[in-house]
Amino acid sequence: MTRTSLVLGAGIVGVSCALALQKRGFMVTLIDRREPGSETSYGNAGVVSPTSVVPLNNPSLWKSLPNYLGNQHAAVRYRWGHLLGNPGWVLRFLAEARPSRLAPRVAALQGLTAQALTLHKAWMAEAGISHRLRETGTLKLWRSEAGQQAARTEQQWLEDHGFRADYLDRQALSAVEPDLNPIFSAGLWLRDNGSVDWPQAVVAAYAALFVARGGTIIRAAASGLSRTHQGWRATTDSGSFDADLAVVALGPWSADLLRPLGLSVPLNVERGYHRHYRASDGRSLSRPFYDVESAYFLAPMEKGYRLTSGVELANRDAPSNFAQIDAVLPRAKEAFDLTEATEATTWRGARPTLPDSLPMIGEAPRNPGLWLAFGSQHIGFATGPVTGEILAALICGERPIADPEPFAPARYL
Ligand SMILES: Cc1cc2nc3c(=O)[nH]c(=O)nc-3n(C[C@H](O)[C@H](O)[C@H](O)COP(=O)(O)OP(=O)(O)OC[C@H]3O[C@@H](n4cnc5c(N)ncnc54)[C@H](O)[C@@H]3O)c2cc1C
């Protein structure tokens, strides 16, 4: 008999879970209150980076804390009310930055990211959108002279971990990306990374593929999950839906639906902003770059150059504060000749983050048939398909493409 599954959330993670389950013969109903890929999966920098294996809360965070005390740093800003309101998460997040926790988490993230580009490439081919993928790598750039040593150190670390990282001096950088202004003294060209030119279009195309293969998408806001005789029921504003299994892939909203089930997930958010700009006539970039000392990404996108900000630790739904992205705009203009904004509004999103900066992928303890897939922090666009593949393999009793143990929900539940 065909098994059935509900997937709640049609961001990159939910759509990927739906596709991966469908490939294994499940009849899947995907539920979202918005169009696929309209939230966090809409506004990211579109970077697909196997090299993103060092969590933000690594041992260098402790050294950086004094830099953040004035709350003026572009990399991390915070609202005191949020920190004081979430002391448990903050302390656990900081505790995970201790040196002994680095290697296991790097190994876990390496497992998660290793196939990220390969899978996206295969799925984009299946969805007919291969043209959206750029396999041109990404750049990590330093302005200061001290940055040259930082780049060399990082190059060594990346190479020791099996990545290609070309060191670029000023001249080599201008050969790779000629329209960048010559303000960077050193850079790394991370050739294993890729990027896409419109993340939401990628999610939408994966969702369309899912529908073309017989999947169902329901536009509805879910308000509850409950167990039935045969499986699970999602209650929504458009009625209730039953299936053998339910997958919660609600990104930064995932904890909301789990709380009434007695599952208290320590999920917080790292908010971020983006805006699109035009470039001066004739200027272009072939890949996204990260300006390390100014803490922003600039990514070429279909609808302009997308400037994305660092981390804002604030309540998920608190009003926006554009100070952080306003502060990096002049820095980005020093690096590349941006002109006017292409939109009147500034996008805001919330990276869903657990204290150990690893996602939750697996079955909820004490709740057979309820599966969790969220918490992919800064790398969820890249790792969505891998997450879907791991989850579907676990559900079907197959060997997953990466060790799922570090992502087991039982570590927090
Ligand atoms: C500024 C910024 C830059 C980033 N850059 C990158 C990058 O370059 N590369 C990368 O890999 N990652 C990046 N990320 C991270 C990445 O965007 C996220 O990790 C990823 O999008 C999370 O996907 P998700 O599917 O878990 O969540 P979402 O995309 O938020 O999906 C959750 C879905 O749940 C739905 N939903 C919520 N509540 C309900 C409800 N009650 N009923 C029905 N539906 C509901 C929402 O509508 C939404 O569609 C960035 C994030 C930010 C903010």
Side-chain angles (χ1 to χ4, degrees), residues 9-14 31-35 37-41 43-47 220-222 249-253 257 270 272-273 308-309 347 349-352 376-383:
I12 184 66
V13 176
I31 299 175
D32 200 300
R33 60 189 173 199
R34 299 189 63 188
E35 289 298 312
S38 297
E39 293 283 359
T40 331
S41 302
N44 55 74
V47 173
L250 293 165
W253 296 272
L257 239 64
E270 300 174 64
Y273 299 84
T308 63
S309 69
W347 177 88
R351 306 168 181 95
S376 41
Q377 38 103 4
H378 293 243
I379 55 170
F381 180 74
T383 58

Side-chain angles (χ1 to χ4, degrees), residues 21-340:
L21 282 167
Q22 186 183 53
K23 284 183 185 187
R24 288 165 174 80
F26 273 80
M27 216 157 74
V28 182
T29 303
L30 180 59
I31 299 175
D32 200 300
R33 60 189 173 199
R34 299 189 63 188
E35 289 298 312
S38 297
E39 293 283 359
T40 331
S41 302
Y42 175 91
N44 55 74
V47 173
V48 180
S49 52
T51 60
S52 291
V53 297
V54 180
L56 182 80
N57 50 347
N58 65 73
S60 75
L61 178 65
W62 285 97
K63 260 190 272 164
S64 308
L65 282 182
N67 300 331
Y68 303 145
L69 281 180
N71 210 5
Q72 292 299 313
H73 203 286
V76 179
R77 298 221 181 168
Y78 47 88
R79 306 217 185 151
W80 278 110
H82 176 74
L83 298 186
L84 296 172
N86 295 276
W89 185 90
V90 172
L91 290 174
R92 281 202 261 185
F93 186 77
L94 290 174
E96 287 287 341
R98 65 192 185 276
S100 64
R101 287 290 297 140
L102 183 61
R105 291 186 302 145
V106 167
L109 290 172
Q110 221 170 339
L112 192 65
T113 56
Q115 302 285 328
L117 188 55
T118 313
L119 266 188
H120 264 298
K121 197 172 168 180
W123 289 20
M124 285 189 199
E126 289 174 39
I129 53 159
S130 298
H131 61 281
R132 293 205 174 270
L133 180 66
R134 286 178 298 240
E135 291 186 86
T136 50
T138 59
L139 293 171
K140 193 164 179 181
L141 305 174
W142 286 261
R143 295 174 180 232
S144 67
E145 297 301 308
Q148 296 172 9
Q149 187 49 48
R152 291 269 185 217
T153 306
E154 187 157 335
Q155 178 191 32
Q156 189 61 54
W157 190 93
L158 286 164
E159 287 179 354
D160 290 348
H161 285 76
F163 297 113
R164 290 178 299 165
D166 294 3
Y167 181 88
L168 304 175
D169 60 17
R170 219 178 277 273
Q171 207 179 353
L173 174 59
S174 94
V176 171
E177 202 63 89
D179 289 343
L180 271 181
N181 294 325
I183 60 163
F184 296 105
S185 81
L188 289 181
W189 185 9
L190 306 172
R191 287 174 178 256
D192 296 311
N193 293 346
S195 59
V196 304
D197 69 356
W198 200 250
Q200 193 267 338
V202 174
V203 183
Y206 291 172
L209 182 65
F210 164 75
V211 172
R213 290 176 173 168
T216 304
I217 299 184
I218 305 283
R219 180 90 180 259
S223 52
L225 264 174
S226 53
R227 224 188 289 202
T228 63
H229 286 310
Q230 270 149 13
W232 286 86
R233 171 170 301 155
T235 309
T236 78
D237 59 0
S238 296
S240 53
F241 300 88
D242 288 7
D244 302 327
L245 309 175
V247 178
V248 174
L250 293 165
W253 296 272
S254 297
D256 300 4
L257 239 64
L258 295 172
R259 208 169 293 120
L261 298 171
L263 296 167
S264 176
V265 182
L267 187 70
N268 199 356
V269 293
E270 300 174 64
R271 304 201 320 175
Y273 299 84
H274 87 219
R275 274 191 208 133
H276 294 122
Y277 292 90
R278 271 188 251 286
S280 290
D281 283 351
R283 300 261 165 178
S284 66
L285 293 175
S286 301
R287 53 189 66 73
F289 74 85
Y290 182 63
D291 181 342
V292 178
E293 287 141 329
S294 309
Y296 65 84
F297 252 104
L298 191 67
M301 291 278 169
E302 186 179 81
K303 297 179 189 168
Y305 286 86
R306 179 174 288 184
L307 177 67
T308 63
S309 69
V311 167
E312 183 193 26
L313 295 172
N315 290 342
R316 185 187 64 205
D317 303 322
S320 297
N321 177 350
F322 302 128
Q324 203 171 359
I325 192 159
D326 287 344
V328 294
L329 177 59
R331 304 286 281 174
K333 285 184 168 176
E334 287 166 7
F336 183 64
D337 291 348
L338 296 171
T339 57
E340 72 279 10

